[in-house]
Amino acid sequence: MARERRGGDRKRFLRASRDIEHVKQHGRRLSTTSFNLLICRTEDNDTRVGIVVGKRFGGAVRRNRAKRLFRELTRQVYGQLIAGYSLLVFPKRDAMGLSFDALKAVWCSTLRRQGMLRTPETESPHP
RNA sequence: GGAGAAGACCGGGUGAUCGCUCGCCGCGGCGACGUGGCGAGAGGAAAGUCCGGACUUCAUGGGCAGGGCGCUGGGUAACCCCCAGGCGGAGCAAUCCGACACCAGCACCACAGAGAACAGACCGCCGAUGGCCAACGCGAUUGGACCCCAAUCUCAUCGCUGCGGAUCAGGCAAGGGUGAAACGGCGGGGUAAGAGCCCACCGCGGUGAUGGCGACAUCACCGGCAGGGUAAGCGUCGCUCGAUGCAAGGCCAAAUAGGAAGACACCUGCCGGUCCUCUUCGGAGCAUCGGCGACCGGCUGGCCCGGCCGAGGUCUUCGGGUAGGUCGCUUGAGGUUCGAGGUAACUCGAAUCCCAGAGAAAUGAUCUCCUCUGAUCGAGAGCAUAUCUUGGUCAGGACAGAAUCCGGCUUAUAGGUCUUCUUCACCG
RNA sequence: UCCCCGGUAGCUCAGUUGGUAGAGCAGCCGGCUGUUAACCGGCUGGUCGCAGGUUCGAGUCCUGCCCGGGGAG
């Protein structure tokens, strides 16, 4: 695939709208006060995360900020994610009021409860 | 120092760790790619998409329609932009604001008001002139007052003049009142009352001179009031504008469906009647008359004219195109520093630099120190709960994110710096 | 990256040559009815999205913003 011609983030994130629609159709849904999450099993070996921020969220600066925050969260826990899933994140406006550490705590505990993290018992310090 | 006006600029800095995108170099690999190093990586508005261009493809015969602009001169690739000037308006002033061409034609001007468009007479003023009444004026006659006469006086009658009076015809538009706006303003003369009727000043219009490239200004003379407003209503005049927008457009090209594109030559009637010729008696040809059809569809980016294409044939080629990829994609009306010209916008010349190129879209996360602002606590100076200096703690640091690229406009914007100018107050 | 519509009462919408802002539903009051609905009569309710400008006067004309909706791959 042409997408894999590039390195780095391109493997970890969902970009094509077709894939995002697929997850929206077949995914399992759960929500917190900071974000909504859709989880879907795929045949692919990699796990990909898509971040969707609608126009209602705010201006371009606020939308970019939300996407950057969740991308950073994904990068920090990506090594511990179990392969073979597609995740879709819908950030909420309340998440922007939290600090990065608080958001990370919510993010990790949510993923752990869903069994998406490989090392559930060890509280991972700063990578 | 207070208040204010204009312009220019900045838009937190520094360092550490973990990451992202692109470029270059090294290594590994056929390659995709992986990995290491170095370098670069959001703005003054990147925004709104309101104008103007570059560039792209299509069109490129004529006319009309339509859009835009609108004091003058300049700048520019161009402009609904900028600079300088004129005029009008606001302000004590610095300064600011202005779609600021044309009312010839059509249309509209509600309510109020007498009258609202080449107007009108409600209240009002006058009643000069022609009528009406008519002396307290003049004359005549008769009677009376004094014994008589004259004079004089008085009453009555008549006549004349027409003082005066109210008003009709009529004159007036100064004043009141209505309105956003009422056929110049104010003062004087004049008049029956008035009126540019006359005069001075101002306004207005015309002509001329002077200054200025010009808009226009100043002055002189003349006219004697010409005639309302609205063109961001229809319109007129002048200038100007082809459409399309990087999702433009070029190239490569899965799957599926099946044809697609180009070139060439060629074709213009049908039906009925009549006449003539030929005839194998079925018809054919030619001429004329009548009727039907000369249209419809598509293209020519809005409409009309004009133009082109159409059925079928022959020939040539294998291509067109979606997902996806790739190019366009960042070197440009470019920046910086000097020098020159110009009041300025800006231009010219030289040197020098390369300064984001993503693609559901890269610039992020955490923290240290410094800086700015606010709150609070403490110390010091101080009569002081003004104020100043210093230290600690806690918050906060705006508006906002490139998407083909430039020139502008508009809008959002915490806080701060600098320059110039106006005015007021105080001191000298 | 562009293009095109719309914003008027609580809701759905009218509103042309610029001149008192309207209709239906809803709400409130009264009547009818044993009561409610329906019906009848009346009333209330508006920064005409915002701000400037043109005009004597703007819902209407012009300009600039704000918000909402739709279209072009």
Side-chain angles (χ1 to χ4, degrees):
Chain A
M1 295 288 278
R3 199 160 51 235
E4 312 208 359
R5 214 168 286 164
R6 310 274 171 77
D9 276 6
R10 229 149 275 273
K11 271 187 187 168
R12 307 176 192 160
F13 292 103
L14 271 179
R15 307 225 169 191
S17 64
R18 192 189 295 159
D19 301 338
I20 289 175
E21 286 303 315
H22 181 264
V23 176
K24 271 173 148 180
Q25 297 282 326
H26 302 97
R28 202 153 29 100
R29 186 182 192 89
L30 60 132
S31 65
T32 69
T33 53
S34 303
F35 54 88
N36 292 339
L37 188 63
L38 285 172
I39 303 174
C40 180
R41 184 188 290 275
T42 60
E43 308 89 33
D44 232 341
N45 278 337
D46 298 318
T47 287
R48 293 213 191 83
V49 181
I51 301 159
V52 178
V53 181
K55 223 167 199 176
R56 285 167 195 276
F57 198 83
V61 173
R62 300 183 59 178
R63 294 201 304 270
N64 275 347
R65 169 111 185 124
K67 284 188 276 190
R68 281 163 180 165
L69 279 175
F70 277 89
R71 261 205 299 267
E72 186 63 26
L73 288 172
T74 305
R75 285 187 193 114
Q76 290 194 6
V77 301
Y78 188 76
Q80 307 165 29
L81 279 175
I82 289 174
Y85 285 91
S86 285
L87 306 181
L88 206 56
V89 188
F90 295 83
K92 292 184 181 176
R93 257 184 232 187
D94 297 342
M96 306 309 287
L98 298 175
S99 71
F100 187 78
D101 285 335
L103 203 57
K104 188 176 176 183
V106 175
W107 175 246
C108 288
S109 68
T110 306
L111 288 178
R112 190 169 297 119
R113 203 171 301 133
Q114 295 300 317
M116 298 299 296
L117 287 185
R118 202 173 290 152
T119 54
E121 63 277 357
T122 45
E123 184 70 28
S124 70
H126 246 278

